[in-house]
Amino acid sequence: MAATSLTQKQLDAIKPTDKQVDHPDGMVRGLALRVSPGGARTWVLVTRIPDEGVKRIRLGHYTGKAGEHASPAGDQFPSGLQALSLKQARDEATRVLALINAGRSPSKERTTRRQQAAVHAERGSVSDLLAEYIAYREKGTERRAAAGTRQIAEWRRITAQLERDAGDVMAMKAKDVEPSHIVALLRPIFHHGIARPKKGRGSAGRRATSGAQGSADKVQTFLGAAFAYGLSSEHSVARRAVTVYGLVHNPVGPVPREAKSTPGTRVLSAAELRQFYLTIDQAPKVGPVLADLLRFTIASGGQRTHQLAREPWTSYDRDTTVVTLTDKKGRGGVPRPHMVPMSKRMLAILASVAAYTGSLEYPWATNERSHVDIASPAGAVRYWLQSPFAMLDGKRIAPFTPRDLRRTCTQMMKAARIPDELADRLQSHGVAGITDIHYRNNPELYLPEKRQALQKFDAALAKVLKARS
């Protein structure tokens, strides 16, 4: 016989027995109230699912207060945890039957959800992504050189700072991060600045009152590079890491760059360059090695001071009059040899410094352990600028940096009508490219041209140094 429609009065009168009993409802086919011996009352839907047979789907537990709990909405199968009155149970059963008639299966969808949850649980957090990116850059690849120790240390410092200040975002799954989260990380740095150590390097200006736009820009660059790595490397067969991120976009991309770029434009006049070159060794706190390094930088046509400082004596061949530098500038930072001819002026400076460091590994050194710190030349320039020698016509010379010396040499080569391409070759600037890497990759081939450029530059420098004040 067909089951009669359940009523509220019938439901209230049902008592538990020593067996589990289903009380079917005649209004919605397959709907029943299951009563357990312990008194639990559960709404179930008994129906046939194609390819699966007869299944019992738990809809929720029974409550006698009609309308107290809302029926679940949407196109998902019920969890079975919600409280349903008689009317709500009928509505829910009707909704579920419609999903099944549309070809859907609650058991298959539960399996899919469990698999997705397992994958999501395995997906790496922002912290995981940053740590993997740092490890990748520290090791390097054939196409991209390993990052320097200072850069790696800086990235680790930034990561530790973000962990302290924004641990909730760092713990998020990387795939869930949106541009709004990146803004939340950067805004405090941009507007409020960052604390600096009270003593030692970097202690000037304890906290920037107007924020730290430059620091925010560096953090933004780091985050953008890490997410870009995650996007491109996750499906790489060469990648050893097994962490899954599931990234579909780079959340840093839409965030605009707010830091103002301040490219250097300082160029020393002929009088300023002459005064600096001739008196740098007389400034307080500037030793002869640093003074000769800065002079050598100028005499070499404006080579990068830190590249000169890092090379040992073995790189300075005084017989062939060539110094071979290791250049990591350019996309990927892949090291390549940069051969620089040495003029008589440069050889004389090397002979001078050899009296102090000839027995050491590095020409530009103040101890037996290593070469001078790459920040030392900038400090020497500052000491000179504070000395009585940084005066011309009763006026103090405007501040400049070792990088400005390189720019000054570039302008001198332009004035000496040295072709831009030759000047760039001499300074190892802007000459990387697929053709140079694969077909013009012998640095010795350019030595004759570089010598011609250096000779013209040295002649121009001689005129500057011999000119009267």
Side-chain angles (χ1 to χ4, degrees):
M1 295 178 61
T4 60
S5 299
L6 294 173
T7 64
Q8 190 70 42
K9 185 176 181 180
Q10 290 174 332
L11 294 174
D12 293 340
I14 294 175
K15 303 296 183 182
T17 64
D18 57 351
K19 295 182 179 181
Q20 180 174 276
V21 179
D22 287 353
H23 300 269
D25 177 39
M27 181 172 290
V28 179
R29 185 180 180 86
L31 177 63
L33 180 68
R34 173 174 292 178
V35 181
S36 69
R41 302 186 178 198
T42 306
W43 290 111
V44 295
L45 178 64
V46 183
T47 186
R48 181 178 295 276
I49 299 177
D51 301 328
E52 296 184 35
V54 177
K55 298 291 183 180
R56 285 179 172 81
I57 302 173
R58 180 186 172 99
L59 303 180
H61 60 272
Y62 167 69
T63 174
K65 299 178 181 180
E68 182 178 354
H69 299 279
S71 299
D75 61 349
Q76 301 297 317
F77 284 99
S79 64
L81 301 177
Q82 60 268 20
L84 301 173
S85 66
L86 174 58
K87 180 180 181 306
Q88 291 168 340
R90 288 168 175 165
D91 293 341
E92 183 68 353
T94 302
R95 186 182 73 85
V96 171
L97 287 172
L99 295 177
I100 294 173
N101 291 334
R104 295 174 58 180
S105 164
S107 60
K108 292 181 179 179
E109 294 193 8
R110 278 197 302 271
T111 301
T112 300
R113 285 197 298 271
R114 284 197 297 268
Q115 292 173 343
Q116 291 175 341
V119 171
H120 182 77
E122 293 176 355
R123 283 178 175 163
S125 65
V126 178
S127 292
D128 296 331
L129 177 60
L130 298 187
E132 183 178 332
Y133 175 70
I134 293 174
Y136 159 75
R137 291 302 313 278
E138 186 175 22
K139 184 177 181 181
T141 64
E142 292 182 357
R143 294 187 176 183
R144 187 164 198 175
T149 54
R150 286 174 178 266
Q151 183 65 80
I152 295 297
E154 177 65 9
W155 284 337
R156 286 176 175 158
R157 185 196 66 80
I158 291 174
T159 301
Q161 187 70 44
L162 293 176
E163 292 280 6
R164 291 191 294 268
D165 297 344
D168 52 342
V169 177
M170 295 292 284
M172 289 178 62
K173 302 297 182 184
K175 79 174 194 65
D176 295 332
V177 175
E178 297 294 336
S180 59
H181 298 112
I182 302 299
V183 173
L185 290 176
L186 298 176
R187 183 179 286 120
I189 302 174
F190 187 91
H191 288 289
H192 303 302
I194 55 175
R196 294 177 179 269
K198 294 182 178 180
K199 295 181 179 180
R201 290 182 57 187
S203 61
R206 304 285 184 264
R207 181 181 290 272
T209 57
S210 59
Q213 290 81 10
S215 295
D217 189 69
K218 289 181 180 179
V219 175
Q220 185 173 353
T221 300
F222 170 50
L223 293 175
F227 276 96
Y229 162 78
L231 276 169
S232 63
S233 67
E234 184 162 311
H235 303 293
S236 170
V237 295
R239 176 172 173 257
R240 293 184 178 275
V242 296
T243 307
V244 178
Y245 297 104
L247 297 173
V248 295
H249 71 288
N250 190 331
V252 186
V255 181
R257 297 279 183 173
E258 303 289 357
K260 296 180 180 179
S261 177
T262 55
T265 58
R266 176 80 163 95
V267 176
L268 278 69
S269 67
E272 290 174 335
L273 183 63
R274 177 181 183 277
Q275 182 71 3
F276 175 78
Y277 190 98
L278 297 179
T279 64
I280 177 60
D281 59 335
Q282 302 176 47
K285 300 183 181 180
V286 179
V289 173
L290 276 178
D292 278 342
L293 174 57
L294 288 165
R295 284 173 172 159
F296 195 89
T297 297
I298 297 170
S300 65
Q303 302 304 316
R304 296 179 178 92
T305 309
H306 64 274
Q307 290 181 358
L308 293 170
R310 287 171 176 167
E311 295 297 336
W313 271 112
T314 53
S315 296
Y316 293 81
D317 192 332
R318 284 176 279 184
D319 293 330
T320 61
T321 64
V322 172
V323 53
T324 303
L325 307 179
T326 302
D327 192 348
K328 296 182 180 181
K329 299 291 289 184
R331 186 174 181 84
V334 178
R336 65 178 186 274
H338 169 44
M339 302 183 73
V340 181
M342 290 192 289
S343 63
K344 293 181 179 180
R345 191 184 311 277
M346 295 166 66
L347 292 172
I349 296 173
L350 278 183
S352 172
V353 78
Y356 301 97
T357 63
S359 62
L360 304 180
E361 181 180 0
Y362 298 93
W364 317 110
T366 54
N367 58 65
E368 297 180 354
R369 297 186 301 274
S370 180
H371 53 73
V372 297
D373 190 282
I374 61 174
S376 296
V381 171
R382 287 195 299 270
Y383 288 135
W384 182 84
L385 288 168
Q386 296 167 4
S387 73
F389 301 100
M391 301 288 292
L392 279 178
D393 299 327
K395 296 181 180 180
R396 184 160 294 278
I397 294 176
F400 62 89
T401 67
R403 182 176 296 182
D404 298 324
L405 295 176
R406 176 176 170 85
R407 185 179 301 107
T408 300
C409 293
T410 304
Q411 296 287 345
M412 289 177 62
M413 284 189 275
K414 187 71 172 178
R417 297 186 177 181
I418 298 174
D420 291 345
E421 182 180 356
L422 286 184
D424 290 341
R425 289 282 178 193
L426 183 60
Q427 290 190 329
S428 185
H429 177 70
V431 296
I434 197 70
T435 302
D436 288 291
I437 292 172
H438 294 285
Y439 301 104
R440 301 172 185 163
N441 53 6
N442 186 351
E444 293 185 12
L445 296 178
Y446 294 101
L447 273 176
E449 295 178 343
K450 291 179 180 179
R451 287 191 187 278
Q452 293 177 8
L454 185 63
Q455 287 174 359
K456 290 185 178 181
F457 171 79
D458 188 68
L461 178 61
K463 291 181 180 180
V464 170
L465 299 181
K466 292 179 181 179
R468 292 187 177 183
S469 301

